[in-house]
Amino acid sequence: MTARGATHTLRAMFSLITYMALIVGVNCAFAVTPPITLPNGDLWPPVSLIVGFVFVVRDFAQRRVGHHVLWAMLAGCVASWYMASPELALASAAAFAVGELADWALFTFTRKSFSRRILISSLLGAPLDSLVFLLLIGLATPWSVLTMSLSKLAGSFLVFFLVRRREQREAGAEAA
């Protein structure tokens, strides 16, 4: 294996391990972080702010390893099953499967720039993930789904703007 091939393999493994660790970490954080009561009485899990980054890390991992990212998604869900409460793990795994698979499909089949694929896939995946998760744990209300979705999208929007800015700089450098 060449040095370049080894570097590519290490980057791919790092992406997959980071992605799996984030899946498990977020699920464990949901189990130990109490939700905050909103003014209308709904509960909002502050850990949902981190979930948007998990969606984007999957986008980066998929960019490096292609569809093998699905194996990492499955491994992260299985590990979460053993590290969180069964109820939370089931809700999380189901929500994650629906949200991440929608995110994966849009990211895969949309032929837009990388930044736009991050944005479009997150706009679908985050609300689906929120809806399924909150339905399964019995906390789904329009307000709770909205606030959780917006929390998840905050991280995605931040990364979208950073990646878009880099793409614009690279396009400007190529044009010069």
Side-chain angles (χ1 to χ4, degrees), residues 49-119:
L49 289 168
I50 303 169
V51 176
F53 290 110
V54 178
F55 284 121
V56 174
V57 169
R58 194 219 31 84
D59 292 341
F60 278 96
Q62 183 176 341
R63 193 172 180 197
R64 284 199 174 139
V65 301
H67 301 303
H68 294 292
V69 76
L70 293 171
W71 292 110
M73 187 186 307
L74 180 61
C77 287
V78 169
S80 293
W81 179 264
Y82 291 103
M83 298 182 82
S85 70
E87 299 81 20
L88 186 64
L90 177 62
S92 179
F96 192 76
V98 170
E100 281 287 314
L101 287 174
D103 186 74
W104 168 83
L106 266 172
F107 186 86
T108 299
F109 300 113
T110 303
R111 299 291 174 220
K112 305 272 184 203
S113 67
F114 183 56
S115 64
R116 290 200 186 215
R117 288 188 294 161
I118 287 172
L119 181 63

Side-chain angles (χ1 to χ4, degrees), residues 16 19-20 23 47 62 77 81 88 94 97 99 108 114 120 126 141 154 159 161 165 168 174 176:
L16 290 175
Y19 177 55
M20 288 185 289
I23 294 169
V47 175
Q62 183 176 341
C77 287
W81 179 264
L88 186 64
T108 299
F114 183 56
I120 293 167
T141 66
V159 175
F161 287 116
R165 189 170 65 185
Q168 289 171 338
E174 288 177 8

